[in-house]
Amino acid sequence: MAKILCVLYPDPETGYPPKYSRDTIPVITHYANGQTAPTPKGSLGFKPGELLGSVSGALGLRNYAEGHGHELIVISDKDGPDSEFEKFLPEAEVVISQPFWPAYLTKERIAKATKLKIAITAGIGSDHVDLEAAARAGITVAEVTGSNSISVAEHVVMMVLSLARNYLPSHEIAIRGGWDIADCVSRSYDIEGMHFGAIAAGRIGLAVLRRLKPFDLNLHYTDVHRLNPEVEKELGLTYHPDAESLVRAVDIVNLQMPLYPSTEHFFNDEMFAKMKRGAYLINCARGKLVERDAVVRALESGQLAGYAGDVWFPQPAPSDHPWRTMPFNGMTPHMSGTSLSAQARYAAGTLEILESYFDGTSIREEYLIVKNGELAGTGAKSYKLT
Ligand code: NDP
């Protein structure tokens, strides 16, 4: 019998389950790159479309865990030495956490987690785990690659349009009973004809480029590896060898690279200074990719016309985090990758990974981040340990 420690965000303040606004969600069987959506062997312990990412939803894993004689411990209290996470960690063989409510597995915590064999990210992005320490301790790290890529891509498109068209402040004016059209439009532009740049064109970055193509933007990208020439041609992409060259050329930037030690604070005062005045930056990748106070300075000086995203550091962000109140921001809590649609996929993917782990069969290569003491699968392609 194994102890499975699952760290999830708290239930809705209005109680669980919420009143759902729709009865069904579309069934997605494949992703754009041909990868199949999760295919667990056993039956799902939930109805797709239910809220699974909060404590009472338990990622729909209760039937599987208890049916196989494992103990499933679901908590949300995750930060600080007196947290429930620290209390249960030494006994856990499996830790499951979502990036939206990350249970930070630091090297100090990994040292205390002597029974831990696998850390599963229910979602994408395992930077809340110290990957180097996990590799040294022989812990496997896996995530549900592809499960919420389109969820995030749709969120990014929404933020591009919201910022450029000044949607949120105009909506506020409507709510307040106003009709101040001049105020609404003083910062409102069409994106048609603008230059848009993707920093990283992986699953999400490329999906954003594809979705923006019909808006008649000029599309640019940079990435470690160049996309294949047919894709560049199909989307009319301009490739840049580095981010500096890209930010000088574009009006809107989408940052979509993973966070690892050398990408921390990728956007800082120097990078902002290279952008066109009045550019927009969207970051639904990770909060630490951007230096917190440099964004505030860039918005206050007018170097940036707007900043939007859903990722912060730490998470949850403190109530006085400056990104909550800085001018011209379109921030949301970390929610893009945890729509009810996304949850159905990553909960099924978590079950698939658990089944493979407990059955002793191979975890899909694309789900692996760390295995046998080194980066593996998707981890070997997209992450660096330094
Ligand atoms: P992918 O692995 O598909 O793509 C990441 C891309 O980043 C790859 O093409 C990789 O290059 C590229 N890359 C890595 N390092 C650099 C670098 N230094 N400069 C430029 N490009 C780089 O991941 P996804 O698209 O699925 O996800 C990207 C990130 O988005 C995740 O790591 C996660 O942090 C975040 N995310 C956020 C979510 C949210 O809810 N807001 C949900 C899901 C993900 P290559 O592989 O060619 O070497």
Side-chain angles (χ1 to χ4, degrees), residues 99-100 123-127 143 145-146 148-149 151-152 155 199-206 222-227 243 255-260 262-263 266 283-286 289 310-311 334-338 378 380-384:
F100 326 103
I124 301 173
S126 299
D127 48 275
E143 62 185 45
T145 306
N148 56 15
S149 309
S151 323
V152 180
H155 206 82
I199 301 186
R203 290 171 180 81
I204 301 172
L206 181 58
T222 182
D223 198 293
V224 179
H225 299 105
R226 224 169 144 157
L227 292 165
L255 184 56
Q256 209 68 68
M257 65 182 11
L259 173 68
Y260 46 80
S262 55
T263 58
F266 191 84
N283 174 17
C284 287
R286 283 297 177 260
L289 292 167
D310 71 333
V311 286
H334 194 169
M335 60 169 285
S336 64
T338 183
T378 292
K381 288 197 198 108
S382 294
Y383 287 83
K384 290 193 185 108

Side-chain angles (χ1 to χ4, degrees), residues 107-168:
K107 70 171 184 293
E108 293 77 17
R109 281 176 162 177
I110 286 175
K112 289 185 200 158
T114 50
K115 297 193 176 148
L116 185 60
K117 298 278 186 312
I118 180 165
I120 304 174
T121 302
I124 301 173
S126 299
D127 48 275
H128 58 283
V129 180
D130 184 321
L131 297 180
E132 195 176 1
R136 262 193 266 112
I139 296 166
T140 297
V141 182
E143 62 185 45
V144 193
T145 306
S147 58
N148 56 15
S149 309
I150 301 307
S151 323
V152 180
E154 290 184 1
H155 206 82
V156 172
V157 171
M158 171 184 81
M159 288 180 155
V160 168
L161 288 164
S162 306
L163 285 185
R165 304 205 56 96
N166 206 32
Y167 169 56
L168 291 172

Side-chain angles (χ1 to χ4, degrees), residues 342-355:
Q343 290 176 40
R345 290 187 294 271
Y346 70 67
T350 303
L351 176 59
E352 184 186 328
I353 294 170
L354 277 180
E355 287 175 343

Side-chain angles (χ1 to χ4, degrees), residues 28-307:
I28 307 292
T29 57
H30 286 79
Y31 304 146
N33 62 358
Q35 181 188 320
T36 52
T39 47
K41 285 190 303 187
S43 55
L44 295 178
F46 60 88
K47 180 172 172 265
E50 286 175 348
L51 177 61
L52 305 167
S54 73
V55 170
S56 295
L59 291 176
L61 294 172
R62 206 160 282 289
N63 285 354
Y64 169 80
E66 290 170 3
H68 287 74
H70 303 303
E71 187 184 351
L72 181 69
I73 303 162
V74 186
I75 56 166
S76 67
D77 178 26
K78 66 183 183 69
D79 294 319
D82 300 325
S83 61
E84 292 198 300
F85 184 53
E86 294 243 353
K87 183 172 117 198
F88 290 115
L89 188 57
E91 291 304 313
E93 179 172 334
V94 180
V95 164
I96 302 171
S97 168
Q98 300 170 111
F100 326 103
W101 188 260
Y104 295 106
L105 266 176
T106 57
K107 70 171 184 293
E108 293 77 17
R109 281 176 162 177
I110 286 175
K112 289 185 200 158
T114 50
K115 297 193 176 148
L116 185 60
K117 298 278 186 312
I118 180 165
I120 304 174
T121 302
I124 301 173
S126 299
D127 48 275
H128 58 283
V129 180
D130 184 321
L131 297 180
E132 195 176 1
R136 262 193 266 112
I139 296 166
T140 297
V141 182
E143 62 185 45
V144 193
T145 306
S147 58
N148 56 15
S149 309
I150 301 307
S151 323
V152 180
E154 290 184 1
H155 206 82
V156 172
V157 171
M158 171 184 81
M159 288 180 155
V160 168
L161 288 164
S162 306
L163 285 185
R165 304 205 56 96
N166 206 32
Y167 169 56
L168 291 172
S170 306
H171 181 58
E172 283 298 318
I173 287 174
I175 291 173
R176 285 204 315 265
W179 198 258
D180 317 76
I181 294 175
D183 293 290
C184 294
V185 300
S186 294
R187 298 181 65 89
S188 178
Y189 298 90
D190 298 352
I191 61 169
E192 181 184 21
M194 284 192 184
H195 288 255
F196 174 90
I199 301 186
R203 290 171 180 81
I204 301 172
L206 181 58
V208 171
L209 289 165
R210 283 194 191 288
R211 278 155 182 72
L212 285 176
K213 173 75 178 155
F215 285 91
D216 289 332
L217 287 153
N218 301 286
L219 301 176
H220 303 241
Y221 83 101
T222 182
D223 198 293
V224 179
H225 299 105
R226 224 169 144 157
L227 292 165
N228 88 37
E230 281 114 69
V231 176
E232 287 194 355
K233 188 156 169 242
E234 175 202 338
L235 299 176
L237 298 178
T238 303
Y239 171 75
H240 293 260
D242 52 47
E244 286 76 8
S245 150
L246 179 135
V247 300
R248 286 183 208 283
V250 304
D251 305 288
I252 310 167
V253 173
N254 180 39
L255 184 56
Q256 209 68 68
M257 65 182 11
L259 173 68
Y260 46 80
S262 55
T263 58
E264 191 171 323
H265 292 171
F266 191 84
F267 265 84
N268 50 23
D269 288 318
E270 293 74 51
M271 188 67 96
F272 283 123
K274 290 175 182 137
M275 299 177 88
K276 290 190 193 176
R277 192 191 81 84
Y280 304 94
L281 178 61
I282 318 292
N283 174 17
C284 287
R286 283 297 177 260
K288 262 200 197 172
L289 292 167
V290 176
E291 197 186 311
R292 191 191 72 172
D293 297 335
V295 183
V296 181
R297 286 190 286 273
L299 287 165
E300 285 175 350
S301 72
Q303 179 63 9
L304 267 191
Y307 179 89

